[in-house]
Amino acid sequence: MNNSILLKSGAGRDRHQRKLLLSAGLSWLFDAMDVGMLSFIVAALSVEWGLGAHQIGLLTATNSIGMAAGAAAAGLLADRYGRRAILLWTLVIFSVASGLSALAGSFAVLMVLRFAAGFGLGGELPVASTLVSESVPAESRGKAVVLLESFWAGGWILSALIAYFIIPDYGWRIGFAIGLVPVLYALYLRRAIQDPVRFTTRGNQSLSYGNRIASIWQSSHRRSTIMLWILWFTVVLSYYGMFLWLPTVMVMKGFSLVRSFEYVLIMTLAQLPGYFTAAYLIERAGRKFVLIAYLILTAVCAIVFGSATSTGVLIAAGIGLSFFNLGAWGAMYAYTPELYPTPIRSTGVGLAASFGRVGGVIGPYLVGALVERSTPISAIFSIFFVTILIGAAAVLLLGKETKGIEVE
């Protein structure tokens, strides 16, 4: 039974969607596990290797530079060679590089391997969201992509559990070594998923790479492209600036490394309900409402977290950060593919994500530089407060609603 028949029957469609979500979602989970693991490992490395704040920021920024390059390359290639092939290759690249990171004997070698891991990871995410968005009908498209994004929370939770129970006893290298597992999963994935019928029947693979890039800046797409690039930049900068530094910030606030991991695990658990509420609201209230509301509430939680002086307020604000920020991420991934037609969809998504990853480079590096200058945590999180509000304003002023609209 082919995909078109599956999508026409309710039962077949549900079965097909569940398999697709689970298959793509598990690859998403492995990605999140790797990124989450890095945030915990840098906290351990700062002790074992004596890394300063500047070096920690440089390491996380290098990972994001790789993600920026990977998102741009994979987006262009997926519109030419198909979503499935590029998804598999990016999964293998990031997994092998992550596993090899366990063998790194110097800071320079670790930086090279984290760039390669970031390249694969950054390429996989926009391709996976495009594949899912094109494979489900309009009435459930947004919900499906947000649920795909919810696997990210599962990966972060898994990384937090590994960090809490394994890294303190066995060291940080075991965390990277676990990153080899997705290579085995890729063998299954190559049989479990196929390119969407929408792409195989309507994708114009004859467009040159230059024409694809030019197309997203044509008058019909220019407003959406500007909005998306601002949105991705502000969301990614604030997310990586805050969350990759979260365990380290907790240590700076006076908690032990183990207690820091424990509190971050509690905060991370809030990501799942954040995704699920966004998935519920996105097909009812619309993409713009969810993005704007969740971003504003993320900004409020950021300012409270930065200025918190008690453990209770700190944890409550951290839970709010996880809940609303990751809900906004899910809505952003659902919204982005809907703003471009099939022949340039993956290019549009990949380049928006790539530009966003520039923010992912700046965010962690900026925090490292500010911490090294003894800048108060409250002042650092005030920067994220303003940044997130800029993203919300861009959606409000430039975004168009795509709920229930056919993507072509």
Side-chain angles (χ1 to χ4, degrees), residues 60-382:
T60 53
T62 299
N63 195 75
S64 292
I65 291 171
M67 293 180 75
L76 287 164
L77 291 170
D79 275 334
R80 170 66 66 91
Y81 299 107
R83 286 62 165 127
R84 173 179 171 272
I86 303 305
L87 178 65
L88 291 174
W89 275 110
T90 52
L91 178 62
V92 170
I93 290 170
F94 115 77
S95 179
V96 171
S98 180
L100 290 176
S101 297
L103 303 176
S106 68
F107 182 71
V109 171
L110 185 59
M111 289 215 2
V112 172
L113 290 170
R114 293 317 303 171
F115 174 86
F119 184 92
L121 195 153
E124 183 184 343
L125 297 176
V127 174
S129 64
T130 300
L131 186 151
V132 172
S133 181
E134 291 178 336
S135 300
V136 297
E139 64 269 16
S140 58
R141 186 176 61 230
K143 179 180 179 181
V145 178
V146 176
L147 290 176
L148 168 69
E149 246 281 286
S150 70
F151 282 85
W152 186 270
W156 265 84
I157 293 170
L158 187 58
S159 70
L161 289 171
I162 293 170
Y164 184 66
F165 290 108
I166 296 178
I167 290 180
D169 292 329
Y170 298 98
W172 57 269
R173 295 183 188 276
I174 190 66
F176 279 140
I178 293 172
L180 276 172
V181 173
V183 169
L184 301 176
Y185 181 66
L187 298 175
Y188 161 78
L189 203 61
R190 64 190 296 267
R191 293 177 175 269
I193 62 172
Q194 301 295 328
D195 277 317
V197 172
R198 184 186 302 276
F199 172 78
T200 56
T201 59
R202 301 186 65 179
N204 185 353
Q205 300 179 46
S206 64
L207 282 175
S208 68
Y209 296 122
N211 285 338
R212 287 194 177 94
I213 295 173
S215 293
I216 70 170
W217 289 103
Q218 290 178 349
S219 58
S220 56
H221 303 304
R222 188 180 303 123
R223 184 186 180 100
S224 294
T225 298
I226 293 172
M227 182 273 297
L228 286 174
W229 285 32
I230 295 172
L231 174 65
W232 274 87
F233 181 86
T234 55
V235 170
V236 178
L237 184 149
S238 58
Y239 174 80
Y240 283 96
M242 292 187 295
F243 281 85
L244 284 183
W245 272 88
L246 208 52
T248 306
V249 167
M250 298 296 286
V251 171
M252 291 169 59
K253 283 182 173 284
F255 299 102
S256 69
L257 186 63
V258 173
R259 183 53 60 90
S260 167
F261 287 177
E262 179 183 331
Y263 286 158
V264 173
L265 173 59
I266 294 172
M267 297 173 193
T268 302
L269 291 172
Q271 294 182 9
L272 280 171
Y275 283 122
F276 294 151
T277 55
Y280 175 82
L281 291 171
I282 201 165
E283 299 296 0
R284 290 165 175 79
R287 282 64 164 148
K288 287 187 66 174
F289 173 83
V290 171
L291 272 169
I292 294 169
Y294 277 55
L295 286 174
I296 290 174
L297 290 169
T298 299
V300 171
C301 291
I303 202 75
V304 173
F305 183 89
S307 58
T309 56
S310 70
T311 302
V313 173
L314 191 71
I315 294 176
I319 288 172
L321 271 180
S322 289
F323 184 99
F324 293 113
N325 188 272
L326 276 297
W329 266 93
M332 183 171 70
Y333 266 109
Y335 189 39
T336 305
E338 296 177 339
L339 295 171
Y340 298 105
T342 298
I344 61 170
R345 179 169 298 117
S346 188
T347 297
V349 176
L351 290 178
S354 178
F355 187 74
R357 299 300 172 188
V358 176
V361 175
I362 295 172
Y365 190 78
L366 176 64
V367 174
L370 292 174
V371 167
E372 204 163 59
R373 296 180 182 179
S374 301
T375 304
I377 296 297
S378 58
I380 294 173
F381 275 75
S382 296

Side-chain angles (χ1 to χ4, degrees), residues 31-72:
D31 288 353
M33 183 183 73
D34 184 78
V35 174
M37 198 72 66
L38 182 62
S39 72
F40 294 105
I41 286 173
V42 293
L45 279 175
S46 66
V47 176
E48 184 174 328
W49 283 6
L51 300 183
H54 179 78
Q55 288 174 299
I56 293 174
L58 187 60
L59 180 62
T60 53
T62 299
N63 195 75
S64 292
I65 291 171
M67 293 180 75

